[in-house]
Amino acid sequence: MHTGEGTIALFLHGSSDVNTESALQSCITRSVCVTGCSFGGRFYSLEDTWHPDLGEPFGVMHCVQCYCEPQKSRRGKVFGKVNCKNIKQDCPELDCDDPVLLPGHCCKTCPKGVDDKKQTDSVVDSFEYFHEKGREKEDDLHKSYNDRSYLSSEEVGPGESRTDFVAVLTGVTDSWLPSSSGVARARFSLTRTSLAFSITYQRMDRPSKIIFLDSDGTTAFEYRVPKGQSDMICGVWKNLAKPLMRQLHSEQMRISMSTSTSRREEVEGKIIKHRALFAETFSSTLTSEEDSGMGGIAMLTLSDTENNLHFILILQGLIKHKDKVQLVYRQHILREIRANITSHDPDFAEVLTDLNSRELFWLSRGQLEIAVVTEGQDPRQISGFITGRKSCDTIQSVMSSGDALTPGKTGGVGSAIFNLHDNGTLDYQVQVAGLTSDFLGLTIELKPRRRNKRSVLYDLTPEYNKATGKVQGSWSRLEARHIHMLLQNELFINVATAHSQEGELRGQIKALLYNGLEAPRYDLPTPLAGNFVSPPVRTGASGHAWVSVDKQCHLHYEIVVAGLSKADDLTVNAHLHGLAEIGEIDDSSTTHKRLLTGFYGSQAQGVLKDISAELLQHLDQGTAFIQVSTKMNPRGEIRGRVHVPNNCELGTRVDVEEAEFDDLFVKDPEELKKDPHTCFFENQHHAHGSRWTPNYDKCFSCSCQKRTVICDPVICPVLTCSRTIQPEAKCCPVCDERKDPKDMKAPERVDEHPEGCYFEGDQKMHAPGTTWHPFVPPFGYIKCAVCTCKGSSGEVHCEKVTCPVLTCSHPVRRNPSDCCKECPEEERTPAGLEHSDMMQADGPRHCKFGKNYYQNSDNWHPWVPLVGEMKCINCWCDVSHGVTKCQRKQCPVLTCSNINRREGACCPECLGEQLGTHTHTHTHTHTHIYTNTSRAQTDISELFIRQHTLPQI
C-alpha cells in the first residue's frame, strides 16, 4: 500500500521553520524516521550536545549538558532521545592556587599565562610555509572569483566540515608477535559523527584487523579488513561517542594493525593532528630493508608560484642526533640536507628550493626517493618513493550551466570521475547530456586569470563520442605542478558548445570524501539534469548520483549537486538546499516518490532500508528515477534515470521478516513480562516502542520507551467543513461527508476502502475521510501538517498547513507547539487559564511551576532539574493573573578589571579589592519580572518528570 509519499515531499519545500521541516520529514518519511531531537523550540541532530537556554531570568545552564541520543525502535527506526546531565562533577582538578570562573563556563580554570601550546604545533609554526599555506587556503575560500565554480565557504554545508589526522604505524617491539619491518601510513577525516580512514602499508602482508585503542589501551573500535589485492584499506568508524571524539582531538588514541598469515605481524602508531595535512599534495612512506620498528612518512607540497618542494618528516625509531635527508633518483643523490632529529622532536621540516625540470619530471612520474640516513658507527637508512597523495576519496566533478564562466540556465549536465596513479597518469571518465546546441570541445583547465580568459591544460575533445556523450581515456603527461593543483582542487573541466563557445557547462574537479557507503564510485554515476525532469526545467543546477542495492536489498545512495544559485533561491543559505527523492517512472499511473533526505551544502548520502518490491523492480528494470527538489522547483529541479540490477523480487528481506517476527513475539503476555523494557500501565503490559490510547482518556496517546510511559494529548485539526460528527471511542470530530440520496448520482458513487488507511507515523488505522495531525515521537503531534485518509483508495495524503499572511512587524507564536504565528493583541486575556493544566481548570486559582502547585503570594526559589535550587532567582505566585513571576537578584555593575564569582554566590565581585572608595559600583534601577516560561524550561522539566515519575503506573 502506498501512503502518499509523493505528496509528502512537496510540502516541505516552502517551510521556513527548520524544526517543523525536521519533524515533518521524520513523521512522513518511513525510511528516515525522526533524525534528531526537539528541545526548547530548536532541532538538534543525533549525537549533538548543547547547554540548555532556559530563557530569562534563568539564562544558559552552563553546568547542564544535553545530548541527543540515538535510539532504535523495535522496527529498526532511528529516532532521538534527549538526555541531560549535570557536568559540574566532571570538572578537572586544577593545580593553580587561585582558579577563576570565567563567564559562560561551568568549570573554573587557571589564570592565563601558562604556555599550553602543543609540541607538535611548534614544529609547524617554525616551518612557516605550511602555516602560511593553510592561512592562504582559508583566505582563498572567501575570495570572489570570476569562476563561480570555485569552492567558497558559503557553499560548504554544516555536515561537510572535517578535521584531518594522521598516524605512522611501525613494528611493535614489545608485543608477543614477531617484530615487523612493515610501515603503514593512516590518514583520517573526522566529520560530525564518523571517522573515515585511508591506510596504505608496505613491507607486510595485507592486514586482517584494525583496532582503535583509547587512552587506557582498551579496544574502542575494531574493523575487519576485507580481502583484496590492493595496498589501500578504506573504512569508516561510524557514530563515535563524544568522549572518544575528545580523546581523538587531544591526541590520546592509537591505532593498531595485525595480519592473520602464518607469520603474524603487528604495527601500531599514535593518531595526531597535523596542519601540514591541509597543504599536502605529495607523500612518501619511508621503510627500512632490515630494521624493524623503524619507519616514517613525508608530507610534501609545491610552492604556488616557485618550484620549491616543502616537506615535513614524521619518523619513528631513529633517535640519532645527526641525520641526513637526501633526495635520490635511481641511487644517485640529487640533494642532501643535514638534519637534527631526536626522539623528543622526531619531526623535521625543510624546503628544497628551485627544482629543475628533470627533478620536476621525475617527481611527477613517482621516480624520486626521499631518504633519511643516520651517521656514525652503526648507520641506518629509511627511504620511500614520492607519489601523489593517496586516499580513498574520489576525484570527481559535476558540470553545470550555473557554474559556467558566463552563468546560464540550460538544464544540461556533465559528470566526471578521475583516478590518479603513482606514475602520474590520470584516468578519466566523462559523460555529458542535455546540451542546448552542438558539442564543440571538452577541456581540463586552470582557473582563468582574467574573466573569460580560459587557460587550457588538456584537450579531451578528440576522444569524445557524440553518439553516447561519453569520453574515457588517460592523460599520461601530467606535470608535477598539475598533480599539485589537481589534489588542491584547483582544476576545472569545461564543455563548449556552438551557442556557448566559452563554455556551456563547467565544474570544479575536487575530492569527494570517502564515507563507507556501498556505492560503486569507480563507475560513472547517474547524471541529474533539469532536462530529465517531467516537464523539463531550465535550471543552472545539475548533479550526479551513485546508487546501489546490497544483499539485504537496502538502497545505498550518494548525491552531489552543483550550480544551485543563491540569487535564485535566497533561502539556500539558511535552510535546506533541497530534498533528495527516489521514485518510479510510470506514465500510466500516479508517480510515487520516496523522500531520501533533506540536505544542506552540495552533498547527500544515506541508506534506504524499507523499500517496496515495486520500487526495487523499477530499479531493476531501469524505470526508476532519483531527483533533487528545491523550494523554487518543488516538483523536481534535476532528475536522472536509475538502473540498478537486483534480485529483490519480494522487497527488503531482513527488515520485513524481523518486523513480522517482532509483531508476533510481543503479543505473548508472558514474554512481555520477561522483557526488561516492558511498561506496566493501567494493569497491562506494553512492549517497548508500542503506542496505544489509554483507558482514562481517549484524547491522549501513550507510548512505551524503555519502561517509561509517555502520554501526550491528542491535537485535533481545525475542520473547515459545514457538518461534523463525533465518532464513538474517538477524540476528534470528523467531517460528515455523507451526501443525501438526491444529491448523489449513480456514476459518481465510489466504494470506500473497507479497512481505511494505515499510517506509519502513529502506527494506527484511520477511518475513511478522517483527518489528523501526524504524531512523531518524541516531537508529539505536528500541527504544521494535516493528513487525510482517502476512502476510495485507502491512501494517506498529508499536506502542509498554509499560514495566513500577517501585516504586523513582530508576529509571535502563542503556543510553542503552534504551527503559525499571529499578530500580538494590544490587550489580551491573561494567559494563566489558557496555558494552565487541565487538572486545575475547575479548581481554585493557583500557579503551577514545574510539577508543583503554589497558592497566592507563595514565594520560592525555583528548582531546575539537574541543577538544583536556583537561590539567585526568586519566584512568586500572582493569583490575580494565574501566572508565576520570577526575578533574578540584581547585581551591581563592577568597574574593576579582576572579577571573580565565588562558589554559591549570586553576584560576581572584585578579586583582591575591597568594594569602597577604590571600586565604583552601579546598581540597575530597572526591575525585570519574567512571567513566560520558555520552551526550554518546559522541555527540561518535562524531560525530568517523564524520566522520574512515569516509569510505572
Side-chain angles (χ1 to χ4, degrees):
M1 178 194 301
H2 294 287
T3 56
E5 289 88 347
T7 61
I8 289 162
L10 300 181
F11 66 70
L12 286 170
H13 304 300
S15 175
S16 60
D17 191 327
V18 177
N19 299 334
T20 303
E21 284 179 341
S22 303
L24 290 178
Q25 177 184 332
S26 306
C27 147
I28 294 159
T29 309
R30 297 171 60 185
S31 60
V32 198
C33 200
V34 185
T35 55
C37 300
S38 177
F39 189 92
R42 296 183 179 180
F43 179 76
Y44 297 91
S45 299
L46 296 178
E47 304 280 352
D48 277 358
T49 59
W50 68 95
H51 299 292
D53 185 355
L54 304 191
E56 294 294 349
F58 300 91
V60 177
M61 299 288 101
H62 296 291
C63 285
V64 175
Q65 186 178 69
C66 294
Y67 171 60
C68 182
E69 179 183 358
Q71 299 282 316
K72 273 193 177 182
S73 70
R74 61 189 177 89
R75 294 177 176 269
K77 304 298 175 65
V78 179
F79 61 93
K81 176 184 176 182
V82 177
N83 281 327
C84 297
K85 67 175 182 178
N86 192 315
I87 59 174
K88 194 165 186 177
Q89 64 268 21
D90 298 330
C91 292
E93 296 182 3
L94 303 176
D95 297 331
C96 53
D97 297 329
D98 298 308
V100 296
L101 182 63
L102 300 175
H105 290 69
C106 174
C107 302
K108 290 186 177 182
T109 56
C110 291
K112 290 186 177 181
V114 180
D115 184 14
D116 56 355
K117 206 169 187 185
K118 292 185 179 178
Q119 182 179 357
T120 53
D121 290 345
S122 62
V123 178
V124 185
D125 288 339
S126 64
F127 187 32
E128 295 182 358
Y129 178 75
F130 276 93
H131 195 184
E132 293 300 320
K133 180 75 173 174
R135 282 212 295 256
E136 288 171 10
K137 275 292 171 186
E138 291 168 1
D139 293 341
D140 282 350
L141 297 180
H142 297 276
K143 291 180 181 178
S144 176
Y145 284 89
N146 288 334
D147 193 327
R148 296 178 62 256
S149 62
Y150 196 86
L151 179 67
S152 73
S153 60
E154 296 176 354
E155 292 169 334
V156 178
E160 296 179 45
S161 60
R162 54 189 273 189
T163 306
D164 290 335
F165 302 82
V166 70
V168 183
L169 288 74
T170 55
V172 181
T173 55
D174 57 353
S175 170
W176 62 272
L177 294 174
S179 186
S180 172
S181 60
V183 179
R185 171 217 166 95
R187 180 169 181 143
F188 312 87
S189 295
L190 177 66
T191 56
R192 188 171 54 185
T193 60
S194 300
L195 183 71
F197 49 89
S198 306
I199 303 176
T200 56
Y201 56 92
Q202 294 185 22
R203 298 193 182 278
M204 64 182 296
D205 295 329
R206 185 171 177 84
S208 61
K209 184 170 59 176
I210 298 172
I211 295 177
F212 289 81
L213 304 169
D214 63 13
S215 56
D216 297 329
T218 305
T219 299
F221 175 70
E222 182 175 315
Y223 178 78
R224 294 287 178 177
V225 180
K227 295 181 179 180
Q229 302 298 322
S230 171
D231 62 350
M232 174 76 74
I233 300 173
C234 305
V236 174
W237 179 5
K238 296 183 178 179
N239 300 320
L240 270 76
K242 294 294 182 179
L244 292 174
M245 281 193 182
R246 288 192 291 269
Q247 289 189 23
L248 190 63
H249 280 288
S250 57
E251 300 182 356
Q252 299 178 28
M253 298 196 71
R254 300 182 67 83
I255 182 173
S256 170
M257 292 198 319
S258 59
T259 64
S260 60
T261 55
S262 56
R263 184 182 181 273
R264 295 194 62 187
E265 298 177 276
E266 183 182 9
V267 292
E268 184 180 297
K270 184 179 181 181
I271 303 175
I272 62 172
K273 291 181 182 177
H274 218 301
R275 269 180 282 180
L277 291 167
F278 191 85
E280 178 192 22
T281 50
F282 295 90
S283 64
S284 177
T285 301
L286 286 68
T287 64
S288 170
E289 294 184 1
E290 302 175 356
D291 299 302
S292 60
M294 287 176 45
I297 62 171
M299 295 179 282
L300 309 96
T301 190
L302 283 174
S303 300
D304 286 336
T305 55
E306 299 176 338
N307 294 326
N308 299 334
L309 184 65
H310 303 257
F311 67 90
I312 285 182
L313 293 170
I314 303 178
L315 306 176
Q316 297 288 341
L318 288 175
I319 57 174
K320 298 288 184 179
H321 287 267
K322 295 182 179 179
D323 301 290
K324 294 180 291 185
V325 180
Q326 300 172 342
L327 193 66
V328 180
Y329 172 70
R330 293 185 177 178
Q331 300 182 346
H332 295 284
I333 299 175
L334 305 177
R335 309 274 185 116
E336 186 172 271
I337 301 173
R338 298 216 171 255
N340 187 18
I341 303 172
T342 68
S343 58
H344 299 291
D345 189 11
D347 294 4
F348 177 74
E350 192 50 271
V351 56
L352 301 173
T353 59
D354 297 324
L355 267 66
N356 57 42
S357 58
R358 290 183 307 163
E359 292 171 331
L360 287 170
F361 176 80
W362 293 330
L363 176 64
S364 69
R365 295 297 181 266
Q367 296 174 347
L368 284 184
E369 281 186 273
I370 188 168
V372 179
V373 182
T374 64
E375 296 180 337
Q377 296 181 349
D378 184 20
R380 297 183 178 185
Q381 175 176 327
I382 56 174
S383 62
F385 285 96
I386 303 172
T387 64
R389 184 189 71 225
K390 297 180 181 180
S391 78
C392 301
D393 300 345
T394 301
I395 305 175
Q396 51 85 52
S397 179
V398 175
M399 292 161 272
S400 67
S401 56
D403 285 335
L405 292 178
T406 304
K409 292 184 177 182
T410 68
V413 62
S415 171
I417 56 174
F418 304 87
N419 182 35
L420 180 65
H421 296 276
D422 290 349
N423 63 2
T425 299
L426 182 68
D427 296 336
Y428 52 81
Q429 298 180 67
V430 188
Q431 56 186 337
V432 178
L435 299 178
T436 58
S437 57
D438 291 341
F439 169 87
L440 286 186
L442 179 65
T443 50
I444 296 176
E445 307 179 353
L446 302 175
K447 183 176 66 68
R449 295 185 178 90
R450 296 185 300 275
R451 184 166 182 80
N452 294 342
K453 186 66 176 179
R454 293 159 54 202
S455 180
V456 176
L457 283 183
Y458 185 70
D459 191 357
L460 290 73
T461 307
E463 299 164 346
Y464 181 78
N465 186 327
K466 291 188 177 182
T468 62
K470 295 183 178 181
V471 174
Q472 183 171 351
S474 297
W475 178 11
S476 59
R477 301 184 64 84
L478 263 77
E479 299 176 5
R481 173 70 55 193
H482 301 156
I483 296 174
H484 171 81
M485 299 181 75
L486 173 72
L487 297 177
Q488 289 282 60
N489 301 337
E490 294 176 355
L491 297 184
F492 301 84
I493 185 165
N494 195 80
V495 179
T497 61
H499 292 168
S500 302
Q501 297 189 12
E502 289 299 315
E504 180 175 319
L505 305 174
R506 188 175 179 87
Q508 182 183 3
I509 302 174
K510 51 189 177 183
L512 183 64
L513 180 65
Y514 176 77
N515 58 23
L517 290 176
E518 295 184 25
R521 285 187 178 179
Y522 47 82
D523 291 335
L524 268 175
T526 297
L528 309 177
N531 278 332
F532 300 154
V533 180
S534 180
V537 176
R538 301 278 286 188
T539 174
S542 60
H544 60 206
W546 287 274
V547 184
S548 65
V549 175
D550 63 19
K551 294 179 180 178
Q552 286 73 40
C553 300
H554 297 166
L555 181 81
H556 298 249
Y557 64 90
E558 186 168 17
I559 304 169
V560 183
V561 297
L564 283 175
S565 173
K566 298 182 184 64
D568 297 336
D569 190 349
L570 297 177
T571 66
V572 163
N573 281 336
H575 299 293
L576 292 175
H577 237 143
L579 294 159
E581 301 160 317
I582 190 167
E584 57 212 41
I585 302 172
D586 190 350
D587 296 333
S588 62
S589 63
T590 304
T591 299
H592 297 96
K593 290 184 291 187
R594 288 290 306 277
L595 180 66
L596 294 175
T597 184
F599 64 95
Y600 297 82
S602 61
Q603 299 174 29
Q605 60 270 328
V607 181
L608 185 63
K609 294 186 176 179
D610 54 339
I611 315 174
S612 67
E614 292 82 2
L615 181 53
L616 286 164
Q617 186 177 3
H618 282 285
L619 286 167
D620 185 59
Q621 296 172 350
T623 54
F625 68 83
I626 196 165
Q627 78 173 17
V628 172
S629 301
T630 63
K631 185 174 181 179
M632 295 297 294
N633 292 287
R635 297 184 181 276
E637 178 141 344
I638 54 177
R639 175 186 287 194
R641 183 184 291 260
V642 184
H643 181 205
V644 184
N646 63 82
N647 298 312
C648 301
E649 296 86 355
L650 300 178
T652 305
R653 296 168 181 168
V654 176
D655 285 21
V656 172
E657 293 172 2
E658 288 179 352
E660 291 174 353
F661 177 77
D662 287 346
D663 290 341
L664 293 173
F665 182 80
V666 297
K667 290 177 182 178
D668 187 347
E670 295 303 320
E671 294 294 339
L672 279 177
K673 293 179 183 179
K674 299 177 183 178
D675 187 351
H677 294 156
T678 295
C679 301
F680 188 72
F681 186 87
E682 292 183 330
N683 206 32
Q684 286 186 336
H685 289 90
H686 298 270
H688 165 65
S690 62
R691 185 171 304 283
W692 68 94
T693 299
N695 297 328
Y696 74 87
D697 194 332
K698 63 184 178 183
C699 286
F700 273 76
S701 178
C702 298
S703 64
C704 174
Q705 301 292 333
K706 290 185 178 179
R707 301 186 70 241
T708 300
V709 175
I710 301 176
C711 294
D712 294 275
V714 173
I715 300 176
C716 296
V718 178
L719 303 179
T720 58
C721 50
S722 58
R723 291 195 303 173
T724 62
I725 57 175
Q726 180 66 53
E728 292 185 12
K730 296 292 184 182
C731 174
C732 300
V734 298
C735 289
D736 187 2
E737 296 183 347
R738 293 174 297 180
K739 297 182 179 181
D740 295 333
K742 62 181 180 180
D743 297 332
M744 185 176 293
K745 298 178 182 179
E748 295 180 350
R749 187 163 190 136
V750 179
D751 292 333
E752 290 188 339
H753 198 276
E755 299 179 358
C757 307
Y758 178 77
F759 184 64
E760 182 71 22
D762 55 17
Q763 300 177 11
K764 288 183 178 180
M765 290 296 300
H766 296 266
T770 55
T771 59
W772 67 94
H773 291 299
F775 183 88
V776 187
F779 297 95
Y781 288 91
I782 306 302
K783 284 188 175 181
C784 282
V786 175
C787 297
T788 305
C789 174
K790 297 298 182 181
S792 58
S793 62
E795 293 185 359
V796 174
H797 289 261
C798 297
E799 296 180 354
K800 183 181 182 297
V801 172
T802 302
C803 295
V805 179
L806 303 178
T807 56
C808 53
S809 57
H810 300 289
V812 296
R813 183 173 280 109
R814 180 174 297 186
N815 295 314
S817 61
D818 286 350
C819 175
C820 299
K821 293 184 178 181
E822 55 187 63
C823 291
E825 301 174 10
E826 292 296 328
E827 295 182 1
R828 180 178 295 169
T829 304
L833 268 180
E834 181 180 342
H835 294 291
S836 62
D837 190 87
M838 288 188 300
M839 290 169 22
Q840 57 178 309
D842 298 329
R845 299 290 297 277
H846 50 246
C847 305
K848 181 184 178 186
F849 188 89
K851 58 180 177 178
N852 297 318
Y853 293 91
Y854 298 92
Q855 301 299 325
N856 184 33
S857 301
D858 282 354
N859 286 270
W860 69 94
H861 295 303
W863 186 88
V864 176
L866 306 174
V867 178
E869 189 178 28
M870 307 287 289
K871 293 185 177 180
C872 298
I873 296 175
N874 189 52
C875 297
W876 66 94
C877 175
D878 184 354
V879 76
S880 60
H881 295 95
V883 295
T884 296
K885 296 182 178 180
C886 295
Q887 180 181 8
R888 180 180 288 276
K889 181 179 179 180
Q890 299 299 304
C891 296
V893 178
L894 305 179
T895 59
C896 54
S897 58
N898 199 357
I899 298 175
N900 185 35
R901 185 190 296 271
R902 289 186 294 108
E903 188 77 26
C906 295
C907 298
E909 57 188 24
C910 293
L911 189 64
E913 300 179 20
Q914 299 294 325
L915 291 176
T917 56
H918 300 289
T919 304
H920 301 284
T921 64
H922 306 279
T923 304
H924 290 292
T925 57
H926 299 287
T927 300
H928 298 280
I929 299 175
Y930 302 93
T931 60
N932 294 328
T933 304
S934 74
R935 178 71 179 272
Q937 294 175 37
T938 304
D939 280 354
I940 198 168
S941 298
E942 288 183 357
L943 173 70
F944 186 84
I945 292 169
R946 288 178 179 181
Q947 289 177 341
H948 293 78
T949 64
L950 284 178
Q952 302 288 332
I953 295 181

